[in-house]
Amino acid sequence: DHTFRIASNTKTYVAAAVLRLAEQGKLSLDDPLAAHLTPEQKVLLAGDGYDLEAMTLRQVLSHTSGLFEHPRDPRYEEAVLADPQRVWTAEEQIRLTVEWGDPVGAPGEKFSYSDAGYIILGTIIERTAGKNLGAAVRELVGYEALGLTCTWWELLEAAPAAAGPRAHQYFADEDATSWHPSLDLYGGGGLLTDVRDLARFTRELLKGKVLQQETSLAALTGSGPADYRLGLSCAELGGFLGWGHGGFWNTFVFHVPALDLTLSGCVLNHHAAKGQVLAGRLVQQVAEFGK
């Protein structure tokens, strides 16, 4: 019944929200990134050599746009550990992406995971929907219709009445539960939930209950490199194909179509065994039990 920060598992919700905006005709996955940036973002990113007309929203969603990411630089972890209560802004983190690194490739050239890309998508969702990121994703994804009663965006929304107590989450021996959430809040992360809601969202998404057009679901699972699509990992789990994502705190959720199985969890420590490893073992056990 405990709730916890799901970190990069948030990216799947962000991707679903972008696809819903596309269904509403408010943007297209193949729009150039330049069409949806603020003038300040354009100047900042273009000044670092990014070809904003060649980069598309689809590429940002699949981490193939060439964007660097600020957490890759050790100075980010050092800054967080030095002052866990520091308040970060989205624009500051985008700026660090430019200051600390250069484009990692041409648009569409290769996969390179980028939190910064999803922070940019978060700012695009807010401007396009005309609401803060928490409210926009809640409405676009349809939490109420899905029965997500224990899911909310930290700082931007109040905890739902049904939400259970917070689980403690750790960075090695450091209890990070009270670290200021702005270190990972603006689209790369930001959501809190429990295992039931996390599994329910992913299951309903992949069964076509979140997106309203079959072409949207096809884009979600069919666009991107071999092991990552639009806000979704594609992983081998216990000999079966699983769709889902993992997060910094070793959160995980995967839907395994061949078994009609959806599983989720959180190991609660960044330095623990990876959540995807546990997911694979769980899938294997379920498959063996079903024989």
Side-chain angles (χ1 to χ4, degrees):
D1 293 325
H2 281 73
T3 57
F4 45 87
R5 290 172 176 165
I6 63 172
S8 284
N9 280 96
T10 300
K11 290 181 173 70
T12 309
Y13 297 73
V14 169
V18 171
L19 282 159
R20 288 288 295 119
L21 288 170
E23 289 181 337
Q24 294 172 3
K26 295 179 179 178
L27 53 76
S28 167
L29 297 184
D30 295 314
D31 285 346
L33 186 58
H36 297 283
L37 298 177
T38 65
E40 295 77 14
Q41 289 172 336
K42 288 181 185 179
V43 170
L44 182 66
L45 293 166
D48 198 32
Y50 288 102
D51 185 348
L52 303 177
E53 293 294 339
M55 299 163 70
T56 67
L57 296 181
R58 189 188 303 270
Q59 291 168 350
V60 178
L61 285 163
S62 62
H63 300 290
T64 59
S65 67
L67 279 163
F68 182 74
E69 67 158 4
H70 58 284
R72 192 177 307 173
D73 190 295
R75 285 174 286 185
Y76 191 67
E77 180 180 312
E78 292 168 4
V80 170
L81 292 174
D83 183 8
Q85 295 306 316
R86 176 173 173 174
V87 179
W88 302 83
T89 67
E91 295 303 331
E92 180 181 16
Q93 291 174 342
I94 295 170
R95 187 171 66 251
L96 290 180
T97 295
V98 167
E99 292 178 356
W100 288 351
D102 296 316
V104 297
E109 179 183 355
K110 63 180 180 179
F111 173 84
S112 184
Y113 195 87
S114 176
D115 264 40
Y118 272 75
I119 293 172
I120 291 170
L121 290 171
T123 68
I124 292 171
I125 290 171
E126 288 191 323
R127 288 196 302 277
T128 306
K131 300 178 180 180
N132 77 44
L133 191 53
V137 173
R138 173 178 294 276
E139 181 177 297
L140 289 164
V141 168
Y143 290 3
E144 184 176 353
L146 296 175
L148 305 184
T149 60
C150 301
T151 302
W152 77 103
W153 210 287
E154 197 164 6
L155 286 191
L156 303 182
E157 299 181 291
R166 284 282 299 277
H168 285 253
Q169 292 173 275
Y170 295 85
F171 187 83
D173 294 329
E174 296 287 328
D175 188 336
T177 312
S178 64
W179 288 7
H180 199 275
S182 61
L183 66 94
D184 182 28
L185 183 68
Y186 301 108
L191 282 171
L192 298 106
T193 192
D194 64 13
V195 290
R196 295 185 186 92
D197 268 19
L198 182 57
R200 183 177 293 114
F201 164 72
T202 305
R203 184 177 182 84
E204 297 300 290
L205 175 67
L206 288 162
K207 284 181 170 287
K209 302 295 179 59
V210 175
L211 304 172
Q212 297 182 0
Q213 300 172 9
E214 290 185 9
T215 53
S216 299
L217 185 58
L220 180 76
T221 58
S223 300
D227 58 357
Y228 199 96
R229 306 304 166 84
L230 304 187
L232 277 176
S233 294
C234 180
E236 185 276 323
L237 300 171
F240 296 88
L241 173 68
W243 294 98
H245 215 291
F248 183 84
W249 305 108
N250 283 309
T251 52
F252 64 89
V253 62
F254 287 95
H255 178 66
V256 183
L259 299 174
D260 194 25
L261 169 70
T262 313
L263 63 157
S264 66
C266 180
V267 186
L268 297 173
N269 194 321
H270 172 67
H271 292 87
K274 298 302 179 186
Q276 186 168 320
V277 174
L278 175 57
R281 292 177 179 175
L282 289 169
V283 169
Q284 193 171 34
Q285 290 296 310
V286 170
E288 287 295 322
F289 180 78
K291 288 182 178 178

